[in-house]
Amino acid sequence: MSQFQRSLRFSRSFSLRLRRLYLGVIWKGDELIDGASQTIHMLRSKGKKLVFVTNNSWKSRSQYAEKFKSLGISVSQDEIFSSSFAAAMYLKVNSFPPQNKVYVIGGDGILDELQLAGFTAFGGPGDADKTIDWKQNSIFEHDKSVGAVVVGIDPKINYYKLQYGTLCIRENPGCLFIATNRDAVGHMTASQEWPGAGCMVAAICGSTQKEPVVVGKPSTFMMEFLLKKFNLSCSKMCMVGDRLDTDILFGQNAGCKTLLVLSGCTTQSDLQDPSNNIQPDYYASKISDMLDLLEA
Amino acid sequence: MLRCSSSIAVTAGVGVCHTQRLLCSLSLPLNYTFSHSLRNPLLSSNSAFLKWNRNINSKINRFRMATRALAQPLQNADELINSVETFIFDCDGVIWKGDSLIEGVPETLDMLRSKGKRLVFVTNNSTKSRKQYGKKFETLGLNVSAEEIFASSFAVAAYLKSIDFPKDKKVYVIGEDGILKELELAGYQYLGGPEDGGKKIELKPGFLMEHDEDVGAVVVGFDRYFNYYKIQYGTLCIRENPGCLFIATNRDAVTHLTDAQEWAGGGSMVGALSGSCQREPLVVGKPSTFMMDYLANEFGISKSQICMVGDRLDTDILFGQNGGCKTLLVLSGVTSLSTLQSPNNSIQPDFYTNKISDFLSLKAAAV
């Protein structure tokens, strides 16, 4: 376990840095973490490639780019990998037939990315107000051409969506069940924790008795996609995050360097607790330490 | 731990290697005390224990597949009827389908009663209370009293009573009217239920959802009015109220609300809470043996004198096997002969037959 300052030499050789997008690394709620903007600027000036990876599927990449812009940081959507984008890429990489439809239990972020990738997707927030006729002789219909159900965080979850997704997976032959991620907690507001995608995904697991393909962290799908896209090797990459069991594990599973920042949900005592066995290569209090240490 | 392993050896044998299914199959002692829940490894998500569970489960599963005989078609109905004192019937797919009675049911029940057999009806459906089910039986022309009916809604109240759940604690309900009625009858205070189905949340910066700190148990069952408000409320209670119980009426993946098709079942709502709390619930409905232990105790019957009749392998038949009684699968509900005989199925009832009125026709044939 080495302190960041001693190993700064290694960091200079990295051509790519992977950053955990939201709470705890770049921003907390709607506020930028101290020094994040200057650090990003410094890394860019040194020719480092920056990528921002998030499990939050609520927004699309272009919506995340807008959020960065509103916080005064210039990030292009090509540098952002949200789990909503990952779901669309998974279907593309696996040659999902364009004539098959995709049913979405989640937000506009997923619908937008699927549509951008050329797929016919429906459901999402539009199904939030749908009701069911409970009479004995009525039938709940579902589209037989749905070939995949994508499930992500959905604060507008209801029985209609659960039933629609369940029927597609159980009755449409070969229908895929894709989860953007399985985080138990989502950060819908900064003041408390909220049920994450893991909740909606588990609901569908419960009614279909099937396990999903997970495209978000800590699954390595996004990493493999990135490596291929930027034609790089892991040895030239550093994953920066604030969660040991998703971010750091994600980086370790992929074989790249890992840097834990203590500006989010993990404290130094969590890291050094004898019960913790996930050890990143480096740790720092926040990303702007890179700036401070370089200038020192 | 030794007690756990011996009960696992007896009760395991599931077709699906789901951790929660194995946990469901373990019976709860009737004098289970409230404080024990905090120490019982079965009730916490102890991942080392769960991994051990999975290993044992798959070993025992292979052992069971090798030793349990294939289900036999029921031929000598008399022999089965004479060998037991009590018949436990599942309802959906055995007695009725949706709101229609299955052919020959009234005559079959009358015949069994005339032979002095005790009849009990056990259903995982928590939408009605046992009294409301009594009315349904009456509407269908069947002579069944509420005391003979054990719905999972009743099981929740019976379980809370068995652990002396404090009357000054509240119960948050994610489920329908049946659960609320049974809790009320048992004298417990509750919050939630269908009314919370209309509650909306505005996820604005600065919004904070409050929850009642006196909630000592969250009960989750089939819920057509399921929404994010309820999931968050239940999650906050389970995560933040010390010692708060997480109870599931059942985990059925699908249910037959109408006889035309399958509907996402209680397993979906329970899965959602389990996914957000990262905890496994205490299951009171089938295949957990809680209801079996309760009625055996209530009526003073020995389990070897019981035959469980149902249409689902992974709830009804497993419930019967876990309880150590005879099992009869009927093909008038969700399970077909090809499912029973599929190489992927490892749950073998003692007997199978088309429908319960075969008791009458097979009897006549045997004479």
Side-chain angles (χ1 to χ4, degrees):
Chain A
M1 202 23 250
S2 33
Q3 260 218 322
F4 189 71
Q5 188 170 16
R6 280 188 275 126
S7 308
L8 204 54
R9 225 189 340 261
F10 282 105
S11 77
R12 286 182 177 136
S13 72
F14 297 149
S15 60
L16 183 75
R17 276 186 193 283
L18 231 55
R19 283 239 148 65
R20 185 170 177 270
L21 187 63
Y22 58 104
L23 191 72
V25 183
I26 305 294
W27 58 61
K28 241 188 155 148
D30 286 323
E31 285 170 21
L32 207 52
I33 284 175
D34 219 24
S37 182
Q38 297 90 318
T39 311
I40 289 170
H41 186 77
M42 177 276 287
L43 289 167
R44 283 205 205 278
S45 70
K46 289 187 163 289
K48 305 300 176 193
K49 177 112 193 84
L50 304 184
V51 174
F52 299 84
V53 172
T54 177
N55 262 359
N56 195 327
S57 59
W58 193 241
K59 295 195 210 298
S60 62
R61 300 197 297 163
S62 69
Q63 286 172 315
Y64 277 119
E66 282 300 313
K67 177 155 186 176
F68 271 106
K69 196 171 163 186
S70 71
L71 291 168
I73 305 179
S74 167
V75 170
S76 101
Q77 68 172 20
D78 291 325
E79 294 177 307
I80 301 170
F81 288 80
S82 55
S83 61
S84 41
F85 176 69
M89 289 306 102
Y90 179 84
L91 291 176
K92 213 164 197 174
V93 155
N94 288 281
S95 311
F96 184 74
Q99 68 270 23
N100 285 2
K101 298 194 190 119
V102 186
Y103 183 71
V104 175
I105 296 175
D108 277 324
I110 306 176
L111 279 175
D112 290 349
E113 292 294 353
L114 287 169
Q115 282 156 5
L116 268 164
F119 298 114
T120 308
F122 68 104
D127 280 2
D129 294 319
K130 292 234 167 100
T131 53
I132 301 174
D133 179 5
W134 294 109
K135 287 200 285 291
Q136 278 296 318
N137 54 2
S138 70
I139 302 272
F140 185 105
E141 303 279 10
H142 73 282
D143 192 322
K144 310 280 193 289
S145 68
V146 167
V149 175
V150 176
V151 186
I153 190 169
D154 192 357
K156 298 203 188 312
I157 190 70
N158 61 14
Y159 190 80
Y160 179 94
K161 298 179 188 209
L162 291 177
Q163 173 65 350
Y164 204 102
T166 299
L167 286 181
C168 289
I169 292 167
R170 286 180 80 104
E171 300 186 8
N172 293 2
C175 185
L176 300 175
F177 171 20
I178 296 169
T180 56
N181 62 297
R182 293 194 84 157
D183 296 24
V185 168
H187 298 278
M188 303 307 291
T189 65
S191 43
Q192 72 191 137
E193 295 185 334
W194 291 86
C199 165
M200 291 84 207
V201 173
I204 299 292
C205 288
S207 60
T208 60
Q209 293 177 311
K210 290 209 167 120
E211 286 299 302
V213 167
V214 183
V215 295
K217 297 178 284 183
S219 148
T220 50
F221 173 75
M222 280 207 274
M223 187 68 86
E224 284 158 10
F225 185 85
L226 282 169
L227 291 174
K228 207 169 171 184
K229 183 176 166 79
F230 295 117
N231 197 24
L232 284 166
S233 73
C234 293
S235 58
K236 291 282 190 186
M237 206 187 295
C238 178
M239 172 71 201
V240 183
D242 72 317
R243 292 187 71 113
L244 292 162
D245 63 350
T246 52
D247 306 321
I248 304 305
L249 201 56
F250 176 64
Q252 287 179 344
N253 286 348
C256 65
K257 292 272 188 294
T258 52
L259 164 63
L260 176 79
V261 288
L262 304 175
S263 47
C265 62
T266 309
T267 61
Q268 184 148 356
S269 58
D270 290 331
L271 174 64
Q272 291 169 339
D273 192 299
S275 67
N276 169 44
N277 51 20
I278 302 173
Q279 294 294 329
D281 296 304
Y282 314 106
Y283 71 91
S285 55
K286 51 194 192 304
I287 59 165
S288 59
D289 286 7
M290 279 192 257
L291 203 57
D292 302 336
L293 293 165
L294 276 176
E295 286 170 359
Chain B
M1 217 49 173
L2 201 60
R3 180 183 177 275
C4 299
S5 66
S6 62
S7 57
I8 287 167
V10 165
T11 62
V14 299
V16 175
C17 275
H18 262 192
T19 311
Q20 54 261 42
R21 221 161 286 292
L22 184 64
L23 290 171
C24 287
S25 70
L26 291 157
S27 46
L28 303 164
L30 281 174
N31 60 350
Y32 195 78
T33 61
F34 192 57
S35 59
H36 281 177
S37 66
L38 301 172
R39 294 198 292 276
N40 192 329
L42 303 176
L43 303 171
S44 61
S45 42
N46 176 334
S47 61
F49 177 75
L50 296 179
K51 269 192 210 127
W52 174 77
N53 248 354
R54 268 196 283 269
N55 288 334
I56 291 286
N57 185 26
S58 61
K59 287 192 175 83
I60 290 166
N61 202 23
R62 284 195 290 275
F63 174 74
R64 270 191 98 81
M65 281 169 74
T67 57
R68 189 176 271 278
L70 289 173
Q72 295 301 302
L74 185 67
Q75 283 164 336
N76 194 338
D78 255 348
E79 201 181 318
L80 176 62
I81 295 170
N82 294 336
S83 72
V84 296
E85 273 174 9
T86 300
F87 281 90
I88 302 180
F89 292 102
D90 171 42
C91 299
D92 293 312
V94 181
I95 305 294
W96 56 62
K97 248 195 144 152
D99 284 334
S100 327
L101 201 54
I102 288 173
E103 206 199 313
V105 163
E107 300 88 337
T108 311
L109 299 185
D110 286 342
M111 178 275 287
L112 291 170
R113 284 205 204 275
S114 71
K115 288 187 146 283
K117 304 298 166 188
R118 181 190 296 280
L119 305 183
V120 175
F121 301 83
V122 171
T123 177
N124 266 358
N125 193 324
S126 58
T127 58
K128 296 197 199 332
S129 62
R130 52 194 330 211
K131 201 169 168 189
Q132 288 169 315
Y133 273 116
K135 289 245 150 59
K136 178 165 182 171
F137 274 101
E138 201 184 308
T139 315
L140 292 169
L142 296 170
N143 181 21
V144 172
S145 77
E147 289 70 36
E148 294 177 308
I149 305 166
F150 292 82
S152 61
S153 40
F154 173 76
V156 168
Y159 175 72
L160 291 176
K161 256 193 170 138
S162 75
I163 59 163
D164 290 323
F165 183 75
K167 289 276 159 80
D168 61 348
K169 285 281 187 196
K170 295 175 190 151
V171 183
Y172 183 69
V173 178
I174 296 175
E176 297 193 19
D177 204 41
I179 304 175
L180 302 183
K181 288 214 152 47
E182 294 291 0
L183 286 173
E184 200 176 313
L185 261 167
Y188 294 113
Q189 308 170 63
Y190 61 81
L191 305 168
E195 202 177 87
D196 278 10
K199 295 213 170 125
K200 302 255 185 256
I201 308 170
E202 289 258 15
L203 291 165
K204 289 195 297 268
F207 171 70
L208 187 78
M209 186 196 257
E210 304 278 8
H211 73 282
D212 193 323
E213 286 167 9
D214 289 332
V215 168
V218 174
V219 172
V220 186
F222 175 71
D223 189 358
R224 284 171 286 190
Y225 313 104
F226 199 55
N227 64 13
Y228 202 59
Y229 176 95
K230 298 182 187 204
I231 302 171
Q232 173 66 337
Y233 202 101
T235 301
L236 287 174
C237 291
I238 291 167
R239 278 209 155 137
E240 300 186 12
N241 293 0
C244 186
L245 300 176
F246 171 21
I247 299 170
T249 56
N250 65 297
R251 295 193 87 154
D252 295 25
V254 289
T255 186
H256 278 67
L257 288 175
T258 63
D259 57 13
Q261 71 186 134
E262 295 182 327
W263 293 83
S268 192
M269 292 88 213
V270 175
L273 268 293
S274 194
S276 75
C277 302
Q278 294 183 303
R279 255 179 72 170
E280 290 299 302
L282 226 142
V283 182
V284 294
K286 298 176 279 185
S288 150
T289 50
F290 175 73
M291 285 204 276
M292 175 86 73
D293 294 339
Y294 183 89
L295 59 93
N297 193 52
E298 174 89 350
F299 295 130
I301 30 183
S302 129
K303 289 177 197 168
S304 59
Q305 286 290 314
I306 301 176
C307 178
M308 172 69 203
V309 184
D311 71 318
R312 271 198 220 245
L313 294 163
D314 63 350
T315 50
D316 304 321
I317 303 306
L318 203 53
F319 174 66
Q321 290 178 347
N322 289 344
C325 57
K326 295 195 175 53
T327 52
L328 168 64
L329 175 78
V330 288
L331 304 174
S332 49
V334 308
T335 309
S336 63
L337 187 61
S338 57
T339 306
L340 172 65
Q341 293 174 336
S342 156
N344 294 328
N345 170 45
S346 60
I347 302 173
Q348 294 293 328
D350 295 309
F351 304 103
Y352 69 89
T353 196
N354 287 322
K355 49 195 193 304
I356 65 167
S357 58
D358 289 357
F359 275 161
L360 294 167
S361 50
L362 290 169
K363 258 184 73 58
V367 161

